[in-house]
Amino acid sequence: MTRIILMGPPGVGKGTQAARLAVALGVPAVSTGDLFREHVRTQSELGRSVSALLAAGRYVPDEVTNTMVAERLSEADARQGFILDGYPRTLAQVGALDALLAADGAGTLDAVLLLQAEVDEIVARLVLRAEQQGRADDTPEVVRHRIEVYESETAPLAGAYAERGLLTRVDGTGTLDEVTARLHAALSEARAA
Ligand code: ADP
C-alpha cells in the first residue's frame, strides 16, 4: 500500500513530481485539477458546472470534489494506493478523506509531503507555464488569487497533518531530479518512522 498526499502552493511542481513518484511507486497520481480540467474539456455535466470556478481560481464546492475523488479512488488501479495531488485542500476534505480511508479498512496515510518554494519563484514558474500551456487560470491576476487562497485555506491543513506526525516539508527548488530524490528520501524516512 502506498498512500501519499503531495501538498504545496500552485506552481511548486506538484503535478510533475506526482507523476514521477507514480511511475516509481506503481500507483496512480490522482490530481483533482486534472480531473476537473478533463471534465471541462469533455463538457460533462460536472465540467459545465465547474468551469467558471476553475477559470476564476476559486475552489469547487467540497461535496462535488469529495464525490469525484471517492469515485476515482474506487477504481481498480488505485487498489494498491495513490498519490493525491491537489486534494485535500480544505479541512472538510481532510475529514472526507479520513472517512474514506477508514471505510475501506486498509489503514492510514504513509506520508503528507509538503513541497515548498518562495512566492517569487512560483509566480515566475506559473507565468512560464501560462506561455507554454495557455491554462485559463494562469493569468497573473488569477495566479495571485490562487496563491492567496492556498495560503488562507490550504496551508492550515499542513498544521493538521503535522499534529498527526504525518507531515514532511520538502524543498521544491533545484532541478526536477533533485526534488524527486528529496521526495523519495522523505518518503523512506516517513515509512521508517
Ligand atoms: P494549482 O495547484 O496550480 O492551483 P490545480 O490543477 O491543482 O492547480 O487546480 C486547479 C483548480 O481546480 C483550482 O484552482 C480549483 O478551482 C480546482 N480544484 C482543484 N482541486 C480542488 C480541490 N481539492 N477542491 C476544490 N477545488 C479544487
Side-chain angles (χ1 to χ4, degrees):
M1 262 296 180
T2 300
R3 294 166 145 180
I4 299 167
I5 296 175
L6 198 55
M7 282 183 55
V12 78
K14 293 188 300 290
T16 306
Q17 295 296 337
R20 286 175 156 227
L21 287 181
V23 170
L25 301 171
V27 293
V30 173
S31 156
T32 43
D34 284 350
L35 290 173
F36 284 132
R37 280 187 290 277
E38 182 62 14
H39 278 286
V40 171
R41 193 184 66 77
T42 60
Q43 299 186 3
S44 71
E45 196 183 328
L46 175 65
R48 286 196 300 272
S49 74
V50 303
S51 68
L53 290 174
L54 254 73
R58 294 178 53 198
Y59 284 177
V60 173
D62 287 330
E63 227 179 83
V64 176
T65 307
N66 289 334
T67 303
M68 181 181 74
V69 170
E71 281 171 8
R72 177 65 188 89
L73 295 186
S74 73
E75 285 172 31
D77 66 333
R79 212 161 283 154
Q80 294 309 311
F82 49 76
I83 298 162
L84 285 173
D85 160 16
Y87 182 91
R89 255 170 148 112
T90 65
L91 285 172
Q93 292 178 13
V94 171
L97 179 61
D98 286 343
L100 193 72
L101 297 183
D104 79 5
T108 175
L109 295 162
D110 294 280
V112 179
L113 305 174
L114 175 58
L115 266 186
Q116 296 182 303
E118 299 293 328
V119 171
D120 288 351
E121 163 102 26
I122 289 168
V123 173
R125 289 188 195 180
L126 288 173
V127 168
L128 193 70
R129 183 169 80 185
E131 286 164 10
Q132 291 167 347
Q133 300 179 4
R135 245 175 70 167
D137 60 351
D138 278 344
T139 64
E141 215 171 65
V142 177
V143 163
R144 238 175 284 122
H145 178 67
R146 277 161 51 219
I147 292 174
E148 281 168 22
V149 171
Y150 169 79
E151 281 174 354
S152 65
E153 301 220 21
T154 307
L157 304 193
Y161 284 119
E163 274 175 24
R164 300 189 199 175
L166 283 172
L167 188 80
T168 308
R169 295 170 192 275
V170 176
D171 178 5
T173 60
T175 66
L176 287 179
D177 287 346
E178 282 166 351
V179 177
T180 304
R182 283 185 210 124
L183 288 168
H184 278 292
L187 181 60
S188 304
E189 267 185 48
R191 281 175 157 168

